Amino acid sequence: GNSVTQMEGPVTLSEEAFLTINCTYTATGYPSLFWYVQYPGEGLQLLLKATKADDKGSNKGFEATYRKETTSFHLEKGSVQVSDSAVYFCALNRDDKIIFGKGTRLHILP
Amino acid sequence: EAGVTQFPSHSVIEKGQTVTLRCDPISGHDNLYWYRRVMGKEIKFLLHFVKESKQDESGMPNNRFLAERTGGTYSTLKVQPAELEDSGVYFCASSRVTGVPYNEQFFGPGTRLTVL
């Protein structure tokens, strides 16, 4: 079946540290891949997306590359800020349903 | 343009009671989705409306859940009678199109349901 596995949190980093949140997926065919973010008190927002192998999605300094050979879509940011504190969800789209990972809570310390 | 809105933001009810959640999609979005996140687990798909028709309700957990979208605008999700395991956050999402390489679904802030 289709599923998404992402690293367990919470992840706590200092401001300006490098961030990686690992995500791997299992899917039939070639799904589109997403990272969603939920800031405190807000809804889910699409952070970035990639629709085919080797695509790189990027937004707000975050990047993720669609790796078909390793079925991965790891989220990275070179220098995190306190305002990046949120819950991050890796996800894929299959048959118009979004399939989510469990979410990774990120805390950034000033 | 207003985003997806959901009401209420938080509901606390007792086991056996009925609760109705409401979702207003972005204007012009024919597709409306319900998802929920039970504590500690993934956000899971419940169902998908295209206008007023149920396109896919494969994620509905049981017949205590009833979703409607009369007139193809806002949607309601009724839980009757509520059980403890129904506690969680219920998200609504809407999209303009389907079947494209990516289908961006815009999410609301969610309704947190607590069943005591």
Side-chain angles (χ1 to χ4, degrees):
Chain A
N2 301 304
S3 66
V4 175
T5 302
Q6 61 184 103
M7 62 190 291
E8 299 283 335
V11 174
T12 302
L13 296 172
S14 297
E15 202 165 26
E16 299 183 3
F18 184 85
L19 168 71
T20 300
I21 301 178
N22 290 335
C23 171
T24 57
Y25 67 90
T26 302
T28 55
Y30 303 103
S32 296
L33 301 176
F34 309 91
W35 278 98
Y36 281 84
V37 59
Q38 185 177 22
Y39 298 103
E42 299 185 16
L44 289 166
Q45 301 175 23
L46 180 64
L47 179 60
L48 53 84
K49 64 182 183 291
T51 60
K52 61 183 187 297
D54 300 324
D55 264 4
K56 178 185 283 187
S58 61
N59 187 25
K60 299 182 180 180
F62 290 90
E63 293 183 339
T65 302
Y66 191 141
R67 302 284 189 201
K68 190 178 67 161
E69 62 278 10
T70 55
T71 62
S72 65
F73 193 55
H74 305 319
L75 182 68
E76 296 182 336
K77 186 173 184 181
S79 177
V80 292
Q81 306 299 312
V82 172
S83 57
D84 294 327
S85 298
V87 182
Y88 293 81
F89 296 90
C90 186
L92 62 85
N93 185 344
R94 216 69 192 115
D95 301 324
D96 288 325
K97 303 172 195 171
I98 306 291
I99 297 168
F100 291 90
K102 288 188 176 182
T104 302
R105 184 173 297 277
L106 176 65
H107 294 289
I108 306 300
L109 304 175
Chain B
E1 178 181 82
V4 176
T5 57
Q6 294 187 243
F7 182 82
S9 58
H10 193 182
S11 179
V12 181
I13 61 172
E14 293 190 351
K15 176 182 169 181
Q17 290 186 321
T18 298
V19 63
T20 300
L21 313 180
R22 173 172 169 143
C23 168
D24 287 76
I26 293 172
S27 178
H29 283 194
D30 287 341
N31 297 279
L32 187 148
Y33 309 81
W34 284 98
Y35 294 81
R36 76 170 178 178
R37 186 183 192 198
V38 174
M39 182 66 70
K41 300 203 171 176
E42 298 90 341
I43 301 169
K44 293 243 187 215
F45 168 85
L46 296 179
L47 87 160
H48 171 200
F49 283 100
V50 178
K51 297 185 180 178
E52 66 274 11
S53 299
K54 291 176 185 173
Q55 179 77 11
D56 181 350
E57 52 184 331
S58 61
M60 294 289 264
N62 52 62
N63 60 9
R64 296 185 293 103
F65 289 76
L66 175 64
E68 295 180 323
R69 193 182 181 196
T70 307
T73 54
Y74 71 90
S75 174
T76 58
L77 180 65
K78 180 190 288 188
V79 185
Q80 179 182 30
E83 298 289 344
L84 299 179
E85 64 265 24
D86 301 332
S87 295
V89 180
Y90 290 75
F91 292 100
C92 177
S94 71
S95 72
R96 187 179 298 278
V97 295
T98 59
V100 294
Y102 69 91
N103 172 21
E104 181 166 357
Q105 297 182 17
F106 297 84
F107 283 80
T111 293
R112 180 174 296 278
L113 174 64
T114 303
V115 182
L116 302 176

